[in-house]
Amino acid sequence: MNGSELAELIKKTLEDYKGQAVELIDLQNRSSLCDYFVIASANSEQQAQGLAGLLEEELAKLKIFPRVKEGLDSRRWILLDYDTVIVHIFHKEERDFYNLDKLWQAIPPKK
């Protein structure tokens, strides 16, 4: 599965599990960090943790595991690093505050 397919699968899975405002951002020509961000909001800390857990379970069925997991204790901003795709699951307040969507979309592509 290539990075684009993985990003689309993650986006769909988060939407299916009621993630809010799920967005896929293509970073292929903007960053060396990864190829895609998938960003989703949750209405509570419990929902954020639940979304992360359900996503991990679904991808594990395909033998896809995160290299890094951050924020599972605080449940306000959870990051799952799948190498070419980094997933951010935010509590709604954190997403509004950090506004990664607009920050990364404002970066022009590399020439």
Side-chain angles (χ1 to χ4, degrees), residues 94-106:
E94 266 66 19
R95 185 171 183 179
D96 291 344
F97 180 78
Y98 290 105
N99 209 356
L100 285 186
D101 313 59
K102 288 184 183 173
L103 174 72
W104 280 98
Q105 289 173 344

Side-chain angles (χ1 to χ4, degrees), residues 29-43:
N29 295 316
R30 296 182 182 164
S31 173
S32 59
L33 182 63
C34 65
D35 292 338
Y36 301 93
F37 274 174
V38 178
I39 302 173
S41 296
N43 292 320

Side-chain angles (χ1 to χ4, degrees), residues 41-81:
S41 296
N43 292 320
S44 68
E45 293 173 2
Q46 292 77 15
Q47 184 186 22
Q49 188 175 37
L51 285 170
L54 290 167
L55 178 62
E56 280 192 86
E57 286 177 22
E58 290 298 317
L59 294 179
K61 292 175 187 174
L62 301 171
K63 306 287 189 241
I64 301 170
F65 304 96
R67 292 183 320 141
V68 177
K69 299 188 274 188
E70 298 285 339
L72 292 171
D73 292 335
S74 73
R75 303 178 301 192
R76 305 281 300 175
W77 179 355
I78 298 171
L79 180 142
L80 302 171
D81 182 345

Side-chain angles (χ1 to χ4, degrees), residues 2-46:
N2 67 35
S4 175
E5 293 168 334
L6 178 59
E8 289 290 343
L9 175 61
I10 290 170
K11 181 180 187 290
K12 181 180 181 336
T13 301
L14 290 171
E15 289 171 339
D16 288 349
Y17 284 117
K18 308 300 183 213
Q20 306 290 309
V22 182
E23 195 164 338
L24 191 159
I25 301 172
D26 185 340
L27 299 175
Q28 292 180 90
N29 295 316
R30 296 182 182 164
S31 173
S32 59
L33 182 63
C34 65
D35 292 338
Y36 301 93
F37 274 174
V38 178
I39 302 173
S41 296
N43 292 320
S44 68
E45 293 173 2
Q46 292 77 15

